[in-house]
Each structure stands twice: as C-alpha cells, then as structure tokens.
Amino acid sequence: MVNFKIEKLNFSYPGQENKALSNISLKINQGEFIVVCGKSGSGKSTLLRMLKPELAPKGKTEGEISFFGKSAEAFSLRDSAEKIGFLLQNTEYQAVTHSVRSELAFGLENLGLSSKLIRLRIAELSAYFSLEGIIDKKISELSGGQKQLVCLAGLVAMHPKVIILDEPTSQLDPMAAQTFLDTARRLCRENGMTVILTEHRLENVIPAADRVIVLEGGEIISDTSPELVSTELFLSNEFINRSMPVQMRLHASLSLDGKAPLTVAQGQRMLVSLVGYEPEITVPEREKALCVSDETALEVRNLCYAYDNSGYVLKGLNLTVKKGSFFALMGANAAGKTTALSLMSGILESKSGKINILGRSLKKYKRSELYNGTVSVLPQKCESLFAGNTVREDLENILKYEKKTKEEKESLIAEVSRFTEIEGLLDRHPYDISGGEMQRAALALVLLRNPKILFLDEPTKGMDNLFKNRFALKIKELCKRGVTVIMVSHDTEFCAEYCDECAMIFDGMCALQKNRYDFFAHNYFYTTAANKIAREIFPLAVTERQVLELCKANQQG
C-alpha cells in the first residue's frame, strides 16, 4: 500500500524567491523505514511537515500530494490524527499534559475512545515502551530520553500507519538515542508502521534504513538503499562524504570493492580483512591542543546544588578549565550538565561551593559586568533568544544600547554574520529557518557580546556535519584569540575530533576529566564509532582520521 505519493512538488516560503522544495517526486510505501538527510536548510523538515497536513508550512505550493490514496482535499484532519503521528524536534512543545499517564491518554480521549479501551491501550503501551516505572510521574520530572519515549508512545497509542520523526535524537545522549532509535526500528519491523525520520547523526539509523533520501537545495539528489549509495557520490558530494556512518566513509576513502559496511560489526570485519589482527603500526598521531596558556579561566570547587527537596543534582563538582581551551562537558541526560553550566555562567546562584571566573569569585561580578564582555551563554533552547520579526532585528537589538555609531553597529553585524554564515538569513523570520540555521543565528547573537568565556549548551544539535566542521574551525579561531569555550554536548564524534579536554558528569560529580584522546580511548560505550570499529586493532584511535591514517600506513608497510 502506498502511504504517500508526491508528484512534482514545489514549495517556497512567503517572500522568498528561492524554493525550499523543488520538483519533489516520490512514493512512500507501507512498512518502510526511510531516512531523509541533507545539510541544514536543504528542505528536510519542510518535506516532513508537508506529509502532515495540519503542520504543512504556509507559502506557495505547486504539485500534488496524495495521502493513503486520497487527495489532500479529501484527507480529513481526523484521518491525519489517526493515521499519521508526528514527533517534533523539541518535545517540550509536544507534551501537553502534566503526567505520563494523562499524556498517553490525551490523543485517545480526543478520538472519543471509551475509558475501558483507553486503559487497555495505556497498559499495553506501558509494557511495550517499558514505562511502568514512570507511568505516574510528572512530565517535568523526566529525562530527555524519557520525554521522547513518552511522546512517541502517545503517538503510537492511536495506532497510526505512519510515524514521522524530525531530528528525534538531537538532544539525547548516545545511550538514550540508541534506545529511542531501537524502539522506532521495532515499530517498523515488528508492527509494520512506516517510519520516516530526519537525522544528522546517521551512525545508528543507516543500518535500519530501507531507503536513504538525500536532499540538496530542496531537490532529491539520491534515493536508494544505504548499501547502494555509490562511491562516486561519496567522492563528489561533500555532505555524503562527511555525514554517512564512519564505516561507510572508510570503505569509500580506502577505495575498497563491494558493498559498503553498514554496521560497526561489518566495519570491524572490513578492518581485519584489510590489516589483520596484528598490524605493525597501531599508535595514531595526536593533534596538539591549541591551548598553551597556564592561566585558569574557570575553577569550580565542591559545587553542590538542589532545585528542591528531592535531592542534589550536583554533589561536589570539581573542574578546572584553562584559558583559551575548547572544553566539553559530557554525560547522560539529567546528569547535571546544564545545571552546572547555568551555575558557572551565573544564571543560577550557587548555594554551596566555589566558582572563580578569570581568577575572581563569580559572586563579586555585577550582572552588568558579567554579561557585557565577560561571559555569554547560548542556551539549549536557543529559540528563546529571538523576539524580533527578522534575524537582523534581533542582532540590532543586542547592540541597541551600545555607545557605537550606526556604521560601527552595521559593521559588527556584518562581521558576525559572515563568521556564522547567516548572511542569507538576515531578513528571514527566526522561526522560518531550519534548526541548524537557528543555532547559527543564535551563536551570532551571543558573539555580539564579545565574551571572554563562551558557554554553549548543545550547540551542534540540528547542525549538519558540513557546518559542524566549519563551526569547529570558528570555535578554534575564537580560542586562538583567547576566548575560552565551554560546551555541554552529547556529540561524541564532534568532541573527539575537536575539543581540547572532555569531562564526564555522573551522579552530580566529575567522574573523568582528560584530553579528548585519553577520554574516549578508555571508554567502552560512551565513545566514537571509529573507536568501536578499530579498538581490537588500533585501541588508541578515536577519530576517523586516525583510523584511516593507520590503515593506509599498514597497507603501505
């Protein structure tokens, strides 16, 4: 059965000449697991929203979409509610009730189901999604991964034919992300639901995919099974080359014959067949950290914090961050990372412990001094920074009370816009741009404060791998200027490639603080795909670059 049939679809947002979607034609069949990928702004989220009529964006639309054999006009809102579940990027905006039980019942009540049937479905969902331990909890008490699962369960409660997931794991730690994607895969394989998702972290979704649809500039440039993504496309398309799972990229970079490996296990077998179990060269080269300063930018000692009487979130946190370094704070959802960042940046007031900023107690800073040239914060919910009708208006508001001429302000805005690559977004409404584009615009806002210490909470969520690379180079440039960058992140691949040091927060304390190579090389689960693939042969290799160089060195030897 065909769920969706799209014929020559074109779409452009109001006031925009460029098409967000151009000449899209495709069929999506019942029971397929489809990954839609592409760099930020390529049209992924727009395409997904077109498949849910009530979420379809406003603008100029040409072409046809049929839903389960019905035209768009004949497909009712009730049809859509029953047959198509849509999980938003940010589930904070999707959960509408106060508790898990009421959230699962909400959609069913709106469909008019009986109380007896609702209770039955909640019992079944609770068992399937392993929600028994949290069924009576408040939504506000859940971790990010739990919220995602509850929202997904609320959609599945209505027995839809299709589940659409827009960047579902962007704010989840690696373990929670794997759990969520495993559940989505089970819904497809065991229950025949069609699953369509966009994702930037492709390592865990590609092995499950029946089809990978790649968008570029609003057009489909590839629609095939993952193992048939051509080496030619890897070599010619920068997004494919940077974004596909590391085992597929290694296969293409080493110019190997046959189908590309899709899983870590297949990648391990590929390396063994290539260099054997005992290669001559096993120690990778390490890139030196940019940070050479002995000065301390941030010092945290015995930091404790509790939001209420339910217990401490932080239980004696200790950290030291050197000036000019790129530092990552990592750990599971609800480990206390964002709380630590909020305390270190002065957003929350610490009750116990010591925080020094640039050699001075945080408590001795006036707020006007702290947030004008000392620290800037990019929050996880970066949309909270936008209040204007255009990105340009928000940037201008940051400088509104600065004692600078109009020309100087325009020059600063132009400079930060070039730096964050948002020149083409300045006249767009902040909520009409993609998640990755909004991240870049929000970064521009906080950089206009000219901080000495920059705090970033999940800055790479929504960013494609192409811009992540450019983003890292921009962060390194800031570090060279003496800016200290402290980042909360779940992005293991990014942190392993670019950060100077990483710290693991567990049970409210710092369980480990090491340089990025030692941090990931000695982890078993919380590590990179490259390390998982190569650890039996090259145990100290943690990045794709290191694995590739060792493979080539042993081939030459």
Side-chain angles (χ1 to χ4, degrees):
M1 178 182 178
V2 176
N3 292 158
F4 304 101
K5 184 178 181 181
I6 304 176
E7 294 181 315
K8 298 180 180 179
L9 176 66
N10 295 284
F11 175 79
S12 55
Y13 284 96
Q16 298 297 312
E17 293 183 6
N18 293 333
K19 294 178 180 178
L21 297 174
S22 180
N23 199 32
I24 301 290
S25 294
L26 60 87
K27 289 181 182 179
I28 295 175
N29 301 307
Q30 184 66 38
E32 288 189 297
F33 193 110
I34 295 177
V35 177
V36 180
C37 58
K39 58 187 179 182
S40 296
S42 62
K44 305 183 300 298
S45 293
T46 302
L47 177 59
L48 261 58
R49 286 176 177 270
M50 300 297 280
L51 301 179
K52 180 74 170 170
E54 58 268 43
L55 294 181
K58 303 298 182 184
K60 183 181 179 181
T61 304
E62 301 171 342
E64 299 292 334
I65 305 178
S66 64
F67 301 84
F68 301 89
K70 295 182 179 180
S71 66
E73 293 76 17
F75 192 67
S76 69
L77 289 179
R78 185 180 179 90
D79 287 335
S80 181
E82 289 183 322
K83 294 183 177 180
I84 305 171
F86 195 111
L87 189 66
L88 301 171
Q89 280 189 32
N90 193 337
T91 50
E92 297 289 339
Y93 303 134
Q94 186 139 356
V96 294
T97 67
H98 68 285
S99 73
V100 173
R101 190 185 296 272
S102 59
E103 188 66 28
L104 297 180
F106 180 79
L108 302 175
E109 291 170 345
N110 280 276
L111 289 178
L113 273 63
S114 67
S115 297
K116 183 178 180 180
L117 184 53
I118 290 174
R119 285 196 299 272
L120 175 61
R121 288 203 185 180
I122 289 176
E124 189 179 29
L125 285 165
S126 181
Y128 187 86
F129 286 89
S130 301
L131 302 177
E132 296 94 334
I134 63 171
I135 191 70
D136 291 312
K137 277 196 170 187
K138 295 178 181 179
I139 296 292
S140 59
E141 295 174 348
L142 304 182
S143 70
Q146 289 171 329
K147 286 179 184 177
Q148 292 283 69
L149 279 178
V150 168
C151 287
L152 178 61
L155 298 176
V156 174
M158 294 183 281
H159 296 177
K161 299 293 185 183
V162 178
I163 293 288
I164 301 174
L165 309 170
D166 191 2
E167 292 283 351
T169 69
S170 62
Q171 299 182 57
L172 301 184
D173 67 72
M175 308 304 160
Q178 184 65 63
T179 298
F180 182 89
L181 292 171
D182 286 344
T183 303
R185 183 163 42 235
R186 286 176 60 205
L187 289 171
C188 179
R189 299 295 182 241
E190 297 175 8
N191 296 280
M193 288 185 186
T194 303
V195 176
I196 308 167
L197 65 84
T198 62
E199 185 62 67
H200 284 305
R201 291 164 25 177
L202 296 175
E203 282 79 9
N204 295 327
V205 296
I206 288 295
D210 297 307
R211 289 162 64 188
V212 179
I213 297 174
V214 184
L215 292 179
E216 187 171 282
E219 298 184 25
I220 295 176
I221 63 168
S222 179
D223 180 0
T224 187
S225 59
E227 65 268 21
L228 296 180
V229 176
S230 66
T231 300
E232 180 183 348
L233 194 57
F234 268 96
L235 298 176
S236 63
N237 186 278
E238 191 180 7
F239 170 80
I240 294 291
N241 186 265
R242 294 287 306 180
S243 302
M244 288 294 159
V246 62
Q247 55 270 21
M248 296 178 71
R249 299 202 300 269
L250 287 169
H251 182 273
S253 298
L254 293 166
S255 302
L256 301 179
D257 296 328
K259 293 181 178 179
L262 300 184
T263 66
V264 166
Q266 290 172 352
Q268 290 173 338
R269 291 195 290 271
M270 174 186 71
L271 288 195
V272 169
S273 66
L274 189 66
V275 299
Y277 277 108
E278 296 182 356
E280 292 183 12
I281 306 171
T282 61
V283 180
E285 291 187 11
R286 293 186 172 196
E287 179 184 333
K288 291 183 179 179
L290 285 176
C291 175
V292 293
S293 175
D294 290 328
E295 295 181 54
T296 298
L298 174 74
E299 183 182 23
V300 177
R301 289 291 174 264
N302 299 316
L303 186 62
C304 299
Y305 191 81
Y307 287 97
D308 50 39
N309 295 327
S310 61
Y312 280 93
V313 178
L314 298 179
K315 306 173 184 178
L317 180 68
N318 292 290
L319 291 171
T320 300
V321 182
K322 295 296 184 181
K323 183 179 179 181
S325 65
F326 187 13
F327 187 92
L329 208 57
M330 309 189 77
N333 287 99
K337 304 182 300 300
T338 295
T339 300
L341 184 144
S342 297
L343 289 163
M344 293 186 295
S345 61
I347 294 174
L348 294 176
E349 184 178 351
S350 62
K351 299 293 193 297
S352 175
K354 181 176 71 173
I355 302 173
N356 285 344
I357 297 285
L358 300 172
R360 181 178 163 195
S361 173
L362 177 60
K363 294 180 179 179
K364 293 184 178 180
Y365 282 89
K366 294 180 179 179
R367 294 187 73 82
S368 58
E369 178 187 9
L370 185 65
Y371 297 116
N372 285 286
T374 304
V375 306
S376 278
V377 183
L378 177 62
Q380 189 173 130
K381 299 175 185 176
C382 66
E383 58 270 25
S384 64
L385 298 179
F386 297 96
N389 291 317
T390 65
V391 173
R392 187 191 304 277
E393 184 179 326
D394 280 308
L395 293 170
E396 290 171 346
N397 286 336
I398 293 290
L399 301 174
K400 189 173 183 179
Y401 298 106
E402 294 285 328
K403 295 179 180 179
K404 292 180 173 60
T405 66
K406 181 180 179 181
E407 290 74 20
E408 287 173 330
K409 292 178 180 180
E410 288 176 350
S411 177
L412 286 171
I413 289 173
E415 181 182 354
V416 79
S417 299
R418 283 194 298 272
F419 187 80
T420 54
E421 299 183 24
I422 61 167
E423 301 103 309
L425 307 175
L426 292 176
D427 297 317
R428 299 271 299 276
H429 193 286
Y431 287 87
D432 280 345
I433 60 182
S434 73
E437 290 169 335
M438 185 180 282
Q439 282 290 107
R440 284 150 48 191
L443 179 63
L445 290 174
V446 299
L447 287 178
L448 278 178
R449 297 290 189 188
N450 195 29
K452 294 182 178 67
I453 299 180
L454 179 59
F455 292 96
L456 307 172
D457 197 353
E458 291 291 347
T460 63
K461 67 178 174 59
M463 285 185 185
D464 62 77
N465 279 13
L466 284 178
F467 187 76
K468 280 183 189 179
N469 179 56
R470 298 197 294 274
F471 171 71
L473 296 177
K474 296 175 192 303
I475 293 298
K476 293 290 190 181
E477 186 178 329
L478 289 173
C479 292
K480 285 180 181 178
R481 298 178 191 174
V483 177
T484 304
V485 180
I486 300 171
M487 171 181 72
V488 167
S489 182
H490 292 308
D491 195 334
T492 54
E493 312 295 327
F494 181 85
C495 294
E497 187 71 41
Y498 300 112
C499 290
D500 296 317
E501 281 196 315
C502 300
M504 173 73 80
I505 305 299
F506 172 73
D507 196 28
M509 294 178 284
C510 179
L512 178 69
Q513 181 178 340
K514 294 275 189 181
N515 69 71
R516 67 182 188 265
Y517 297 115
D518 291 334
F519 181 89
F520 288 106
H522 297 97
N523 288 343
Y524 190 82
F525 296 106
Y526 209 96
T527 187
T528 63
N531 181 252
K532 291 177 181 178
I533 290 169
R535 63 178 148 212
E536 297 299 324
I537 305 170
F538 309 125
L540 298 180
V542 300
T543 68
E544 176 192 350
R545 173 183 53 80
Q546 290 179 321
V547 175
L548 182 60
E549 289 174 354
L550 286 169
C551 285
K552 289 181 176 179
N554 282 284
Q555 277 185 308
Q556 292 169 1

